Amino acid sequence: VPPYSRAGLYKDLVGLKEMLFESRDLKRSSNRVSILVTCAKLGLFEDMPYPNELCLDSPDIENILNEDPRFEKYANDLLAYVNVLEQRLFSEGLHVLGDVPDSSRIMKYFDAYFEQNIVPIEALQAISELPKGSSYLKAITSLKSLKVPGYRFLKE
């Protein structure tokens, strides 16, 4: 199954990656603002927030970023994250909106998403078997009813 990058879905990620490489080569780069604007456009601040609050519309933003010693570390961490995103695999084709996947397909998605068994299989199975249209409260109730030794799903 092709990685997202080869499927052509993340052209903006490729552009961001190129800007990050350029930023590494130039210690004081005028593309730092473009990097952060692209991150905002792609919604990457949700996963990789910048270390402090920035107003990207500020007239002095370029100087602020060039003087910020945290930018280089952020750019390196962001590049590593982009590399991970670029290599993520589709677990099984594209999902059709409105088409509810069956429990076996949901389990395949969970298996691809939760690497290294960080969530007990019993929890994933319980969620995957919820009926179509189940509420968040139904999911919580289902998880609370599980008895997995050494694992507490939700605090009481």
Side-chain angles (χ1 to χ4, degrees), residues 4 9 14 16 26 37 39 80 89 93 97 112 130 140-141 145-146 149:
Y4 289 153
L9 297 178
V14 173
L16 176 61
L26 309 169
V37 167
C39 284
L89 299 177
L97 293 177
L130 288 171
I140 289 175
T141 303
S145 69
L146 293 176

Side-chain angles (χ1 to χ4, degrees), residues 1 4 7 9 90-97 99 105 109:
V1 204
Y4 289 153
L9 297 178
F90 290 111
S91 59
E92 182 183 314
L94 295 174
H95 176 69
V96 177
L97 293 177
D99 178 29
R105 181 178 260 179
Y109 290 136

Side-chain angles (χ1 to χ4, degrees), residues 53-149:
E53 291 284 323
L54 288 174
C55 177
L56 296 176
D57 295 330
S58 168
D60 202 34
I61 189 67
E62 193 171 315
N63 290 332
I64 292 168
L65 288 173
N66 281 330
E67 299 301 322
D68 191 346
R70 296 170 292 189
F71 185 86
E72 286 184 42
K73 179 179 179 347
Y74 178 78
N76 286 333
D77 292 346
L78 184 60
L79 181 58
Y81 182 70
V82 168
N83 284 329
V84 168
L85 282 180
E86 202 175 43
Q87 294 305 314
R88 285 262 164 102
L89 299 177
F90 290 111
S91 59
E92 182 183 314
L94 295 174
H95 176 69
V96 177
L97 293 177
D99 178 29
V100 179
D102 62 24
S103 66
S104 67
R105 181 178 260 179
I106 292 172
M107 284 303 293
K108 288 179 184 178
Y109 290 136
F110 283 158
D111 187 45
Y113 186 79
F114 294 111
E115 296 174 6
Q116 302 173 354
N117 299 324
I118 60 172
V119 177
I121 192 74
E122 295 88 347
L124 299 177
Q125 192 70 42
I127 297 297
S128 73
E129 292 174 354
L130 288 171
K132 176 182 176 180
S134 292
S135 70
Y136 173 73
L137 293 175
K138 176 76 174 158
I140 289 175
T141 303
S142 180
L143 288 175
K144 282 184 175 180
S145 69
L146 293 176
K147 304 291 185 227
V148 179

